[in-house]
Amino acid sequence: MSSEAFVTLATNDGYALGALVVAQSLRKVGTQRKLVVMISKHVSNLIKQTLETSFDEVVLVEELDSQDSENLNLLRRPELGITFTKVNCWLLEKYSKCVFLDADILVLRNIDDLFEREEFSAAPDAGWPDCFNSGLFVYRPSKETFRKLVQFASQQHASFDGGDQGLLNGFFSNWRSSDVSRHIPFVYNVTANTFYSYVPAITRFHNDIRVVHFAGALKPWHLTYNPQNEQLSGNLDGQHDVQREFLLSWWKVMYERVWPQLSKFNQQSEQN
Ligand code: UDP
Ligand code: MN
């Protein structure tokens, strides 16, 4: 069990704030697994120090980029080429099995049972359920798989959307027809689009949700939180009530569990 880990990724300070909430939300629900964050050289020292106290391991990785601006423009997410960096998670061979989580995820209930699943397991994507959402998946670290993935990624049009989701769906293309055990239930990776497309289901299954994934351009750390009145401000136009509720839950973890650590290191760096 000690050789199993949750793994996330942050190539800049914004996503690193997300990673800190991933770690604290996993600790809050009593995970028994190790926590690992992969970072690139662009994460600042202050945030890196905070990551080191929250995670069992901080691993510096090289950035990989799809350079596929055409498809990324179709997605309206030009920044997502860098998500190819995610494949570095296959290099963490000291762990026998891992669960990768995007940095824009909030864990609400214990998900350690995911480790009973095998590579490659993931939940369906709400936009195209024959594809999996690449924000959460179970995998086995292996340099050999990493090598094959990098080789696959170097081909032209390796990723149909220019991001890691297109890449991994291309590589693990048998997922859609595989055994149901490789299909993780949707409550383990509930993406924001569900809040608009199927509101009755959100009402019905609200209490079963284990993981909320803030997929899309609006990330929780783009907003501002006022702890006095527990209100959010920022570009919240058109956000559904349930979406606002989860954004608030993210900020409560940030304010109660991450902020104190950040201010501690901030004070230390001001004193030095
Ligand atoms: N990511 C990162 N830096 C970036 C963009 C993405 O580290 O500039 C990582 C981060 O772990 C993030 C994941 O790649 O959660 C996938 O990107 P994102 O969550 O923005 O994609 P979405 O879920 O919105 O499709
Ligand atoms: Mn995401």
Side-chain angles (χ1 to χ4, degrees), residues 15 77 86 102-105 133-135 191 213-216 219:
Y15 281 94
R77 299 290 303 279
K86 213 183 257 192
D102 265 9
D104 57 345
I105 267 178
N133 182 280
S134 61
T191 44
H213 179 186
F214 300 98
K219 301 301 185 199

Side-chain angles (χ1 to χ4, degrees), residues 27-270:
R27 299 232 187 261
K28 200 172 162 199
V29 298
T31 182
Q32 300 292 309
R33 300 312 195 276
K34 295 273 193 244
L35 306 186
V36 179
V37 60
M38 304 187 292
I39 58 166
S40 74
K41 59 181 181 200
H42 296 112
V43 173
S44 73
N45 251 340
L46 169 73
I47 301 280
K48 192 168 161 241
Q49 277 181 312
T50 317
L51 289 167
E52 278 162 357
T53 56
S54 280
F55 285 84
D56 296 294
E57 201 180 350
V58 178
V59 183
L60 187 68
V61 296
E62 289 289 326
E63 287 183 2
L64 300 168
D65 197 316
S66 72
Q67 317 259 337
D68 183 357
S69 54
E70 204 179 314
N71 274 310
L72 291 168
N73 284 336
L74 286 178
L75 264 186
R76 299 210 194 101
R77 299 290 303 279
E79 74 277 19
L80 289 190
I82 198 93
T83 62
F84 268 33
T85 310
K86 213 183 257 192
V87 302
N88 281 291
C89 72
W90 266 273
L91 287 174
L92 301 170
E93 270 188 329
K94 76 188 231 198
Y95 302 101
S96 59
K97 198 190 279 182
C98 294
V99 172
F100 182 89
L101 304 169
D102 265 9
D104 57 345
I105 267 178
L106 175 69
V107 179
L108 299 170
R109 294 184 168 77
N110 191 292
I111 52 170
D112 285 6
D113 59 308
L114 284 175
F115 289 91
E116 290 162 22
R117 293 175 188 264
E118 263 309 321
E119 175 172 290
F120 182 91
S121 300
D125 185 78
W128 195 266
D130 282 345
C131 288
F132 55 82
N133 182 280
S134 61
L136 180 150
F137 55 86
V138 181
Y139 74 99
R140 276 193 187 275
S142 146
K143 286 204 179 80
E144 183 59 18
T145 311
F146 172 79
R147 196 186 55 74
K148 286 184 185 157
L149 262 164
V150 170
Q151 198 177 31
F152 186 84
S154 66
Q155 294 165 7
Q156 237 191 343
H157 307 303
S159 166
F160 71 82
D161 64 7
D164 66 292
Q165 178 147 318
L167 175 73
L168 292 174
N169 270 282
F171 189 79
F172 294 106
S173 60
N174 58 352
W175 175 85
R176 69 179 65 102
S177 57
S178 65
D179 190 282
V180 73
S181 69
R182 307 290 159 100
H183 286 233
I184 298 174
F186 189 63
V187 287
Y188 286 79
N189 185 0
V190 177
T191 44
N193 25 4
T194 325
F195 305 130
Y196 312 95
S197 54
Y198 204 1
V199 179
I202 282 287
T203 312
R204 167 67 181 83
F205 298 110
H206 189 281
N207 293 335
D208 300 333
I209 297 176
R210 287 168 180 249
V211 169
V212 178
H213 179 186
F214 300 98
L218 177 80
K219 301 301 185 199
W221 54 90
H222 297 156
L223 302 169
T224 317
Y225 174 64
N226 180 345
Q228 258 87 48
N229 59 10
E230 301 192 348
Q231 295 286 315
L232 292 174
S233 49
N235 188 9
L236 282 159
D237 294 349
Q239 295 295 316
H240 193 273
D241 284 354
V242 191
Q243 171 81 340
R244 284 168 193 253
E245 174 201 325
F246 288 129
L247 285 165
L248 204 54
S249 305
W250 186 95
W251 266 102
K252 284 195 175 152
V253 176
M254 169 52 83
Y255 182 71
E256 284 161 20
R257 303 180 73 109
V258 176
W259 207 250
Q261 293 183 343
L262 281 171
S263 21
K264 194 175 90 192
F265 287 115
N266 205 11
Q267 276 163 12
Q268 279 174 6
S269 65
E270 275 168 12

